[in-house]
Amino acid sequence: MLDEKTIEELHSYYDRLPGGICLVKADDSEEILLANAELLNYYQCANWQEFKELTGGTYRGMVEASDYIPLKDIVRVKGQPEANYAYFQFPYRTREGHFNKGNALLIRTTQKGLGDIWSINVMKSKYSRAPGETENITGLLGGTAFYKRVNEHIQMEKIDGTGGLYCPVYFNLTNFKLYNSNYGIEQGDELLRKVADVLRAHFPYSIIAHLNADNFALVAPRDGVIEQVEAVCREVDEMIDNFSITLKAGVFFRDPDNLSEYTANSAFDMAKIACDSIKGDASRSWATYTETMGKNLSAARK
């Protein structure tokens, strides 16, 4: 049982993070140690006591009985056992009887004062954003809200040890001005909306932004990211059907041993450098950042 001071300290951190977060004992009891304010909101509970009464204080009680799978088995069957994490979905019923579905990242970690725990980071399937966060044309996050959320995500990585599981991806719609000239502004806006839809479809659990007219960015799970990036670029290029107007991508694989070096802005700067390096190469749709790219850019600016 956690003491009140520890609980207060945990809430002071986890209640400020986006999405629902639940900390669960990594043993057969699967006892819930903490649920942040956003998770209580998802379950329509006004406080911890209501949530505990609804769930019985265990992970088993958080999900519909017919869909319950022990957390250790979720990692074994659906995730990466050697790394102790998994992405999964689960249906749940709120205190007021509504059914919802959660998209979750499950991570096993050790935390001071808690021991071995499962950290469950949850987003509702239809995640609603605060007014003013979204960019009007696509409905995606705008730059300011995006970088704020990514920096919060980076801080959480440092706490729960998930650094390196995600990577920044930067997309550029090359010659988008030409598309607007050929088809008009309204059709250009429609294309941006379609690109946003493609990104949502291929990266359903990612933080995604439309930074400006022809640039998009997202934080993607590292596993399988290149395959998804290729699929996005191929789908968009086929949709445009003009070899002069294509989607390019840059990916930056961060060093998990040096996460303190990166902010959201610096990480996406590197992804952008990778993207820019292939703008004139018709044979490539994506590139990953290398130190050589950064050195070449610095030399060109001198």
Side-chain angles (χ1 to χ4, degrees):
M1 191 72 175
L2 299 178
D3 60 76
E4 291 186 7
K5 183 179 179 182
T6 300
I7 292 173
E8 184 177 341
E9 289 175 351
L10 290 170
H11 275 291
S12 70
Y13 175 73
Y14 286 106
D15 285 353
R16 293 186 288 109
L17 297 178
I21 298 174
C22 185
L23 305 183
V24 177
K25 275 188 178 180
D27 59 22
D28 291 339
S29 74
E30 295 183 330
E31 177 189 351
I32 300 170
L33 300 174
L34 177 132
N36 75 341
E38 188 68 4
L39 190 69
L40 297 184
N41 181 50
Y42 288 173
Y43 281 81
Q44 296 183 307
C45 294
N47 51 51
W48 163 252
Q49 189 58 40
E50 288 186 356
F51 182 74
K52 188 174 181 180
E53 290 173 358
L54 177 69
T55 63
T58 68
Y59 168 71
R60 178 188 286 270
M62 287 177 57
V63 303
E64 282 297 287
S66 60
D67 292 277
Y68 168 73
I69 301 173
L71 294 172
K72 62 184 180 182
D73 291 337
I74 291 175
V75 169
R76 180 175 58 83
V77 175
K78 300 183 179 183
Q80 301 293 325
E82 68 282 358
N84 277 318
Y85 76 92
Y87 299 97
F88 70 106
Q89 292 184 322
F90 65 94
Y92 65 93
R93 191 194 303 246
T94 72
R95 190 167 182 268
E96 296 181 10
H98 302 297
F99 285 96
N100 286 319
K101 181 179 286 186
N103 297 318
L105 167 62
L106 173 67
I107 304 161
R108 180 163 179 161
T109 184
T110 301
Q111 189 164 325
K112 186 178 180 181
L114 300 179
D116 291 338
I117 61 169
W118 294 108
S119 172
I120 309 173
N121 303 345
V122 185
M123 286 289 187
K124 286 195 295 188
S125 289
K126 293 183 179 179
Y127 183 71
S128 58
R129 300 187 175 96
E133 278 195 328
T134 57
E135 176 276 326
N136 289 330
I137 294 174
T138 64
L140 297 175
L141 290 173
T144 300
F146 174 72
Y147 284 118
K148 179 177 181 293
R149 188 168 294 181
V150 174
N151 274 319
E152 290 171 343
H153 183 87
I154 289 173
Q155 290 305 311
M156 186 168 70
E157 285 182 327
K158 295 174 183 177
I159 296 295
D160 61 22
T162 59
L165 299 186
Y166 300 88
C167 58
V169 184
Y170 187 95
F171 291 93
N172 174 254
L173 201 54
T174 63
N175 294 320
F176 180 60
K177 290 181 180 179
L178 177 61
Y179 190 93
N180 280 336
S181 296
N182 289 345
Y183 305 105
I185 299 297
E186 289 186 5
Q187 286 300 310
D189 288 349
E190 181 61 23
L191 173 61
L192 294 176
R193 282 189 284 270
K194 289 179 179 178
V195 173
D197 287 342
V198 172
L199 291 173
R200 289 188 187 99
H202 285 273
F203 295 98
Y205 309 127
S206 297
I207 307 171
I208 311 175
H210 180 206
L211 299 178
N212 50 44
D214 54 4
N215 295 314
F216 295 80
L218 58 85
V219 178
R222 182 184 182 114
D223 287 350
V225 65
I226 296 301
E227 290 82 358
Q228 291 303 317
V229 165
E230 286 182 335
V232 166
C233 292
R234 182 169 58 251
E235 188 170 336
V236 170
D237 289 350
E238 289 174 354
M239 181 170 58
I240 297 172
D241 194 24
N242 185 328
F243 69 88
S244 297
I245 306 166
T246 59
L247 188 66
K248 301 287 188 180
V251 183
F252 174 47
F253 291 109
R254 295 173 300 153
D255 181 354
D257 295 325
N258 294 293
L259 289 179
S260 60
E261 295 182 5
Y262 310 116
T263 63
N265 296 76
S266 65
F268 278 94
D269 282 347
M270 294 177 188
K272 182 179 185 302
I273 289 170
C275 181
D276 290 346
S277 72
I278 57 169
K279 275 188 175 181
D281 188 343
S283 66
R284 301 179 65 187
S285 60
W286 60 271
T288 58
Y289 177 83
T290 64
E291 289 187 7
T292 302
M293 291 178 184
K295 291 176 181 178
N296 290 343
L297 182 63
S298 297
R301 288 174 174 172
K302 291 179 179 179

